[in-house]
Amino acid sequence: MTVAARTRQHPAPGQDRRRDVRRTARFLARRSTRFHRKAWAAVFAALVLTSLLLGSFALATLSAFVGGARVERYAAATAVVAADQTARYRAKPWGDPPTTVTQSLTERVRIPADAVDRLGKVPGVRAAVPDSSFPVSLAGPDGRGVRGPDGDSGTASVYGHGWPATALAPFTLRAGRAPAGARQVAVDGDLAARAGVRPGDRLRLQMLDAPVEYVVSGIVAPKGAADGTGLAHQGAVFFTEDEAVRLSGHPGTVDAIGVLADDGVNAHQLLPRLRQALDGEDPVRDSLAGSRDPQDPLRLRVLTGNGRGQAEFLDAAPGRSGLLELLATLCATVLMIAVLVVAGTVSQSVHQRARESALLRAVGATPRQLRATVGREVTGVATAAAVLGATGSVPVFLTLLRMLRDRGALPVGLDLPVLPWMFATPVLTAVLTLLVARVSAALACGRIAKIPPTRALGEARSEPEQPGRGRTVTGLVVLFAGLASAGTAALQQAETAAMAAGSAALALVIAYALLGPWIARGAMRLLAPLARRTGGAGGHLAAASATANSRRLGAAITPVVLVVAFVGVQLAAGATMDHEGGAQAREAMRADLVVTTEQAGLPAAATRRVAAVPGVEAATGTLHSTVLVARREAGDPVLERLPVVGVAPGALPATLDPGVTSGSLRDLRAGTVAVGAARAASLGVEVGSEVRLRYGDGVVASLRVAAVYERSLAIGDFLFARDTLAHHVTTPLDTRVLARVAPDADPGAVRRAVREALSGAVLGVRVASDPSPEHLRSEDRGMGQVLTVVAVAVGVVGGFTVIAVLSTLVLILIGRRQELVLLRLVGAGRGQIRRMLRIEAAIVAVTGLVVGASAALIPLTAFSLSVTGSPPYLPPAQAGAIVLVVVVTVTAGILLPARPALRRRCPAALNRS
């Protein structure tokens, strides 16, 4: 007989012990789960929500990570050659090797047009097609409006191209012919249907100058579109090649070059040939190569596959990076909240069975059997919950994605794909949920499992309410780290202050969770005398119960602190910036009239026409763009993108008053810049100093500081002369024109005169009184986009934390039913017990609100004082909503689970829970 056979017949002693442990654990776990099903139901709910949120936000983050610009206008191109829209900054941090950081450029970096001939000679290339895109405002024939997607009529904003670019989509003629003269255009089918035009009709088009009439020579549509419709996101108007070059305003350069391959030649074969042609003996660089920073990439990119969309939608790359950063932060926040919630609920569930576990130890159960029993219970509950939550995360993710698209939170052209392999992510988050639950259970039952059987019952009966030394020391260390981060936030600027404040809030919440029993004991020292004086017998019962069970009270307070701190920080941070920025914007506004258009923007001629109207004292257009500032932060390189505004210096401060503290805006011209006071302090510059920055198109410049102003939250950290900034903007169109009416002029008459002066010069012009304050407009992420994403995240995560509060409180009350039954047996009336529970609910709510508010207020105050110079602000309605939600949730979580124990006339047996 072999050794293996003898082993199977006579198992080793260790195998017998393991089999006994598994058999005993299986039996105890099955009985315990059935007996404590209500307690495990609360844990199950928390785990389902944890797995659901982790899975859905992880899917959203992964979708943003693999997403990118969609391919529309270059769908037929085998490859697209374009400039690199990336800026770089390389520096050596303290004690580390050199590090390079990158940032996307928001303005078009153009490439030399002579590269077209070089690429056209590459073997395997059928044609190299130049393409330049420029905005076009359009009105229908005889001044009729163009029907929009919502059914309203007005002018339309589309993009113009040269006729050769039709081969890149590709577009084909459906009616008429290609434009042959300078005043002929072809339009895409969707635009023709909305404008109600046919070949031979006339359209009024406006580019950078006054409107001009063009004749529609033909109607085109993408190949394969049977209904004649055009592109999904961009209407298209095609001019002759010479007219398109003139209208683009950049002779000698193009936006991109589409490469069409010969039959049988694919992108993989063509890529090295194109690369060799561009990087030969005479390398082709972008048109700004001599003006860009030496660290920036100057070589042209050859884009293939899905990468072709990068040359089409410039906002997609910075928008994706911003969205990815925001979603990653939310994922980390959800993970932190989930760990705290799961650890709290699982630990509370195991802690409530301390005496039962001690009894098992007293009758001979080994520590291994006890840990295995709890592990099996948790594994059974957590596995089912994690699978259910992971399954539900898929529709939640799809709903979140649809909500972001419908509310305009995604930049035009940014595609967030839903790929089959991505759905493995919820499986990983489900495993993570199960792992957190198992670790929490193991830590929770570790103490009872280690107690000798002879002491188990006594230890369980007299278990100390104060936390262990390790937990206390850890909590104090984390608390000190949170306060230190808040101090760092108070000394930093902008993004550094925001990051430090976020770290401080996270550290303080974790510290308060670890120090929960101590916080509960401190709260009872303050609130217990008040409860005894005002609550009668119920107040005495509440004070005695809460004082004797500070660990349990701390477990009830912790999720309340969590929800108050998280929602408070998320809402107050943005509200503080908006409140102070709005106040500065209102103080800065001096204009009486505002001129806007429903199109892409206003040409510079509109400002000149407004300024020439009698009765107008001053007028300025506001041109928005971005700049990049390279700096070091604690030794690390940072390349920060900031929104900026260009204005007419001579119209300030009559139309817009930045609040100059030193220098003069009269010196604002080419080669100079005005700087906000906070940014000047962080860069260490003053009037007369030089500041080095990069414009939105990557051109680097050293500019002299002409003035320092204080209203930077409204106007931005840098203020340029409009003509200077216009040279570095893809399309130099003003957002609006601000005008100041002379004191002795009639405002109504001036308004009518301005409208008449612009009626034939600008399509879709609007003139109004009392302009809204001038706010920053970020080029990569609009404020509405950020608010939409944050609002969705705060709503989802806030709802999760509220349900976590409810689950924790229900779990605690389920464990207290024997206590309530005992009170009934010794003579306490229903009214006295209800009063006791109401007072306990008030203690939990008040303590949670105060501690949670402090966890949010400390970092928020540091952040607000460093960035805005004012205390944090939260709208009263939002603050009241937080208080109301906490009060209702705590009251429901404490009073509703106690109703079964108070409803019966004769109390149930003590062994029923």
Side-chain angles (χ1 to χ4, degrees), residues 674-698:
V675 185
R679 179 63 59 176
S682 66
L683 295 177
V685 298
E686 57 186 9
V687 174
S689 302
E690 284 197 352
V691 57
R692 183 181 174 87
L693 50 79
R694 299 178 222 189
Y695 290 102
D697 60 354

Side-chain angles (χ1 to χ4, degrees), residues 89-99 631-638:
Y89 175 46
R90 182 178 178 85
K92 187 178 185 304
W94 298 335
D96 294 322
T99 302
R631 57 187 175 84
R632 291 182 182 235
E633 209 169 77
D636 295 326
V638 175

Side-chain angles (χ1 to χ4, degrees), residues 48 89 104 159 210 239 263 269 305 324 361 389 444 484 578 630:
V48 167
Y89 175 46
S104 298
Y159 286 89
F239 301 80
D263 294 337
Q269 297 170 329
L324 183 61
R361 289 286 290 123
D578 290 343

Side-chain angles (χ1 to χ4, degrees), residues 332-348:
T333 302
V334 170
L335 180 60
M336 181 272 295
I337 294 175
V339 169
L340 291 178
V341 168
V342 171
T345 52
V346 173
S347 299
Q348 185 64 28

Side-chain angles (χ1 to χ4, degrees), residues 64-82:
F65 180 77
V66 300
R70 66 172 54 88
V71 182
E72 286 189 355
R73 203 171 68 244
Y74 299 136
T78 308
V80 177
V81 177

